[in-house]
Amino acid sequence: MDATHRPLVVPPRLGLYAEEKRLFRLMQVMLEGLMIHKPEDPIGFLIELLMLDNDDTPRILLLGPPASGKTTLAMWLSKHLSVPWLSQETLLASDWSSLTASAQEFQARKEEIPEDLWAQLLEERLKLPDCLHNGWILEGFPETRDQARSLQAAAIIPRHVVVLYAPDTVLIERNLGKRVDPHTKEVYHTTFDWPPDKALQARLVPTEGSGEMGTARRLLAYHRNYYGTLQSYGSTMKLINADQPCADVLAQVLRHVEAPPPSHAPVSLRILLCGPPGAGKTLQAALLAQKYGIVNVCCGQMIKEEVADGSKLGELMKPYLDNGWPVADNMVLRMLSQRLNQWECHVRGWVLHGFPRDEDQARAMLLADIRPNRVFFLSISADIAVQRLSYRRVDPITGERFHLLLRPASQREVHERLRQHPRDTEEAVRLRVERHQRLSGGLEAFFQGVAPTALLNADQDPQTVFEYIESYLVQPPTISAGP
């Protein structure tokens, strides 16, 4: 930023830097912390928050009815994510806090532990280093709306709330066969997960309240309080059917909790279309630019315009164009950098096609700060490329384009004067496709470490291809500094 000129203009590169470093997300987290905790020393609080660097750590609530598999799932998640596993039982298992004795007294008198005491106990536990730095998984709590409100009042806000569900008949059948290892606390089942070890079988014991009537009473209490909890976490809850194999349930939960958090940060589309000649890159770029208002950047067209304008860069490019040689990479990158680093492209976004053609050009493009956040590879066979390009014709009088198979001229006199571009002969098209396949072999693997990539079959209706591209655009981009 140049402070010597007025008005001050923010360089477009700063927007790309803010997106790569997730500055918007960082500011959002800091503001949320100030609003939730209301610290007396805001600056000191923010410094401590930044030093923790725990914005991406898991904070998961795992809820569900009895026998839905919460304990087993929490144990697996804890091992997989390397985070502490918390539950009402683990919070009361030892005298790690002065509040534990108070809670144990309520439990000894068979009285219900107050919601505020649970919240204070959990708040102290979450302030320990393992939870601060690694995150946490809280299983089976809160069970009521009052408990959920107590957690919210104590500023215990989960990132993900996973709720398991299954028919009551299935849950009762599961609970009747549930057995627990008193040494390891691992859960087994007489039908679905019976251990082969005879010694382990001998020491397994039924869980408390695993009878049919006890399970029915617990299910009734759960259903009575479920909707109160739903009102507290309705917008962030993920419902998962527990009436399926445990491995499938775990995979769905992991997919949910490992997904990047939603962000309201403004992100401009920076789309790169790659593919052989005839794949439809120009058409798809035009459709994207028309629908989303992004800047359509065709590398080949820009080179022709630069030469036609007679600029200094165009004069350097003209000999290459006149002799049919590829324009030098440094000239192309200079031209693209000037265009894509303009304020319009940073605000509206862009779609680029025609460059890069090989891995060396792709690396040079990243070094020039041209970084796409979506990359699409349109794939067609050489025969389809020949069919699409070798049948193209142009009317030399009107300049209108036709295709002998897909869009023939309606009038005979127009058809008779149509001409074929020398580049569209079958031999020329096959040479271009062969050159593309030879040079672009490493592009897909290269861009996989830079941005989300997708390989699309372009041998179908253009509107279908466009719909596939749109389905990938709604996914949040992966921010990467590149290889």
Side-chain angles (χ1 to χ4, degrees), residues 21-37:
K21 303 303 180 183
R22 303 174 64 189
L23 297 187
F24 189 94
R25 172 64 181 170
L26 180 62
M27 295 298 297
Q28 183 180 357
V29 170
M30 294 168 66
L31 183 59
E32 287 176 355
L34 291 175
M35 298 299 293
I36 292 173
H37 296 279

Side-chain angles (χ1 to χ4, degrees), residues 7 36 50 52 82 129 135 219 222 240 260 276 278 323 329 359-360 395:
I36 292 173
L50 292 173
L52 282 176
S82 300
L219 285 172
Y222 173 81
I240 294 180
N323 292 281
D329 292 348
E359 189 173 342
D360 291 337
D395 186 345

Side-chain angles (χ1 to χ4, degrees), residues 68-295:
S68 59
K70 300 187 300 296
T71 302
T72 302
L73 192 58
M75 186 183 306
W76 287 356
L77 284 174
S78 176
K79 293 178 180 178
H80 183 86
L81 301 175
S82 300
V83 297
W85 163 33
L86 310 178
S87 65
Q88 292 174 301
E89 290 76 15
T90 60
L91 291 175
L92 301 178
S94 60
D95 297 332
W96 60 272
S97 169
S98 59
L99 298 175
T100 307
S102 303
Q104 290 173 346
E105 291 177 4
F106 283 97
Q107 195 175 42
R109 296 195 299 265
K110 296 185 178 180
E111 297 178 4
E112 188 174 342
I113 300 175
E115 284 78 7
D116 293 342
L117 182 56
W118 275 122
Q120 294 174 17
L121 191 63
L122 187 58
E123 185 178 11
E124 282 195 14
R125 179 65 182 87
L126 297 183
K127 288 181 179 179
L128 295 182
D130 59 343
C131 290
L132 279 177
H133 296 285
N134 300 327
W136 44 268
I137 298 172
L138 179 57
E139 175 228 333
F141 190 86
E143 296 178 335
T144 65
R145 186 180 183 183
D146 290 339
Q147 291 177 351
R149 285 189 163 184
S150 299
L151 295 186
Q152 292 170 347
I156 301 174
I157 310 296
R159 278 203 182 89
H160 300 92
V161 181
V162 178
V163 180
L164 306 177
Y165 70 91
D168 287 353
T169 53
V170 173
L171 297 174
I172 291 174
E173 180 184 359
R174 281 187 180 184
N175 213 34
L176 290 176
K178 187 186 293 186
R179 299 293 185 270
V180 177
D181 184 348
H183 296 169
T184 65
K185 304 300 181 184
E186 292 198 22
V187 181
Y188 298 89
H189 196 277
T190 55
T191 303
F192 307 112
D193 186 22
W194 192 241
D197 187 356
K198 297 294 184 181
L200 178 58
Q201 293 178 12
R203 70 171 183 258
L204 295 182
V205 295
T207 59
E208 184 180 356
S210 60
E212 186 172 352
M213 292 304 298
T215 304
R217 283 194 296 268
R218 293 168 60 197
L219 285 172
L220 183 61
Y222 173 81
H223 291 309
R224 188 185 304 120
N225 295 312
Y226 167 74
Y227 290 101
T229 309
L230 179 65
Q231 292 176 352
S232 301
Y233 298 109
S235 60
T236 57
M237 289 175 67
K238 174 68 173 180
L239 299 176
I240 294 180
N241 183 10
D243 188 15
Q244 52 184 321
C246 294
D248 294 343
V249 178
L250 177 63
Q252 293 181 43
V253 175
L254 283 175
R255 193 180 309 117
H256 175 60
V257 301
E258 291 181 340
S263 173
H264 301 289
V267 178
S268 60
L269 291 174
R270 302 191 301 277
I271 303 171
L272 177 63
L273 299 180
C274 300
K281 302 184 295 295
T282 302
L283 175 59
Q284 296 302 326
L287 294 174
L288 289 166
Q290 180 182 11
K291 181 166 184 177
Y292 293 99
I294 57 182
V295 180

Side-chain angles (χ1 to χ4, degrees), residues 349-405:
W350 47 262
V351 52
L352 171 65
H353 53 107
F355 190 89
R357 300 180 185 274
D358 56 45
E359 189 173 342
D360 291 337
Q361 291 179 348
R363 292 185 183 277
M365 186 177 75
L366 296 187
L367 293 175
D369 285 334
I370 302 174
R371 295 180 177 272
N373 54 20
R374 304 290 197 288
V375 182
F376 297 98
F377 292 89
L378 307 182
S379 174
I380 57 170
S381 64
D383 292 336
I384 297 299
V386 169
Q387 185 185 68
R388 288 184 176 183
L389 298 182
S390 64
Y391 288 95
R392 294 193 305 189
R393 299 292 186 271
V394 63
D395 186 345
I397 297 178
T398 64
E400 189 175 359
R401 295 177 178 271
F402 296 92
H403 194 280
L404 297 184
L405 296 179

